[in-house]
Every structure is written in C-alpha cells, then in structure tokens.
Amino acid sequence: MNEQQFDKLLHINTIGEQYGFPKLAHYHRYEPTPYAGLEQLFTQYDLPENPVFIDMGCGKGRVPIYIHHKFHTPAIGIEMDAGFYAEAEHNKESYCRKNGSQNAISFVHTIAENYKIQPCDNVFFFFNPFSINIFRTVIHHIWESFEQNMRDIHIILYYPPYDYLQFLHHGTPFELIHEVHLENETNINERLCVFSLKKA
C-alpha cells in the first residue's frame, strides 16, 4: 500500500507538509514517517515483551496509531506543536471510531525533554526530531528511568543522524541489536537502527 492507502485504512490524515519552522531552534521540521519503512522494520524486528511505545515528536500521530493497529499495544505520542497535537487528537478520534480502544493511544502536548517517562515505557521511537543536545537529555531521562525500574528498553532510530549513533555507541550502555537497510535506498543513512538496554 502507498501512503494514502495506509491513511485510508487507519481512517486518519497524516500526509502533508509542516506548518512552518519550529518555534524552538533545537527542534526539526515535521515530516511523516514513511509507512513502507515501518512495514519493513516489523518484518525483521520484534518488540520487547509488554511493549509501551513512545514516539518522540509524533507530529500528526501516524506512528502511534499505526503501532496500535498493528500490535494492539499501548502507544503514546509526544508533540510540542499545538497544531500537530490537535491533528493527532483528531486522528485518534477518527481511528478509534472504527477500531475502539481509545484509551490505548494517547498524545502529550509537551517538549520531549519535559515528558516524564513512566515505569512501563520501554520502546522509544525517534525520526530525527531534534538536535543532539535534546537527544542526549531525553536519553539521560530514559537511562534514569531504567535505573529506577529495570526492564528491557529499546531505542528505534529512523534515518539515524551520525551524532545520535556516536552518542549511543560511546556515551551510553545501549547496544545496537538490529539494523534494517531500507529497500530501494542507496544512501547509508536510509536505515533503521534498534538499540537495547537490558535488565540484569
């Protein structure tokens, strides 16, 4: 299926350009995560046990809704832009009218570094939403949450920036466990990387 067909299947509208440049300098412009890449990822990679999926910079809510549709697992989107947050909520309502389970999908209107990580949150998705400075802060919060409530935690990077990878490799205990090179792409950055932090 193409992008429009996936949106139609989910009864949502997530295609389109960003409203403009983000108000905060360290945040990047909105770009919807391609469905094709998500489909390819989940033919090769399995979520951890009892997943709670967090999309850092969810835009219009495509990825959390897709995750719930595919796995029937709780999914949360973090979005700082009020307009995108409102669209995400509208998309959730439209999706849930056809699929139910409204409580399993939620959106939080805040900047990523202010999101309070819950003890059950264990899968964190990043589609290059912000600068390395913000990324370090968010990863530090995830690490602190792990130390307080040890569990298997996965970090999924779509089109991972070099500085994200360097930081995870050399500045954290996260280990690369899976890498998916996207079909029909020749650029080495056109891939998904999954990092893991395992409980003892």
Side-chain angles (χ1 to χ4, degrees):
M1 287 189 287
N2 61 29
E3 302 282 286
Q4 289 84 359
Q5 289 168 330
F6 258 113
D7 263 16
K8 184 176 181 180
L9 172 69
L10 299 175
H11 304 281
I12 62 178
N13 180 15
T14 60
I15 298 169
E17 298 300 322
Q18 69 282 347
Y19 296 121
F21 290 94
K23 297 179 179 66
L24 300 180
H26 287 282
Y27 279 75
H28 300 159
R29 296 187 304 173
Y30 168 74
E31 182 180 351
T33 305
Y35 285 113
L38 295 172
E39 287 283 279
Q40 188 177 338
L41 170 67
F42 292 113
T43 61
Q44 303 178 38
Y45 155 73
D46 294 322
L47 292 169
E49 186 177 355
N50 300 317
V52 177
F53 190 99
I54 314 298
D55 181 6
M56 290 291 183
C58 69
K60 301 176 183 180
R62 171 184 291 190
V63 173
I65 292 170
Y66 168 90
I67 290 295
H68 181 265
H69 173 78
K70 191 170 185 70
F71 300 106
H72 306 288
T73 192
I76 300 167
I78 313 303
E79 178 54 47
M80 72 165 195
D81 183 273
F84 290 145
Y85 169 75
E87 289 201 43
E89 286 285 358
H90 177 77
N91 281 324
K92 180 182 78 170
E93 292 173 7
S94 179
Y95 168 79
C96 290
R97 277 198 297 271
K98 298 291 184 179
N99 299 277
S101 304
Q102 187 156 345
N103 292 335
I105 303 170
S106 59
F107 297 105
V108 180
H109 181 210
T110 188
I111 56 176
E113 58 267 42
N114 284 353
Y115 172 67
K116 183 173 176 55
I117 295 167
Q118 301 301 307
C120 57
D121 296 346
N122 61 355
V123 182
F124 297 87
F125 180 84
F126 299 84
F127 182 20
N128 191 19
F130 33 66
S131 74
I132 184 61
N133 296 330
I134 303 297
F135 184 70
R136 285 196 195 101
T137 299
V138 173
I139 295 298
H140 179 70
H141 292 333
I142 294 171
W143 193 347
E144 285 183 331
S145 174
F146 173 81
E147 291 179 335
Q148 294 167 7
N149 299 279
M150 289 197 175
R151 64 221 187 256
D152 290 352
I153 292 180
H154 289 183
I155 302 285
I156 303 174
L157 305 181
Y158 196 116
Y159 292 0
Y162 178 77
D163 49 6
Y164 278 30
L165 295 175
Q166 288 295 101
F167 172 65
L168 288 176
H169 279 303
H170 302 296
T172 78
F174 283 92
E175 295 183 358
L176 181 66
I177 61 168
H178 204 76
E179 191 168 356
V180 176
H181 290 274
L182 297 172
E183 295 174 355
N184 305 317
E185 300 287 357
T186 57
N187 188 326
I188 192 173
N189 293 323
E190 309 279 343
R191 56 182 168 155
L192 293 109
C193 294
V194 182
F195 287 79
S196 174
L197 185 59
K198 292 186 176 294
K199 62 184 178 183

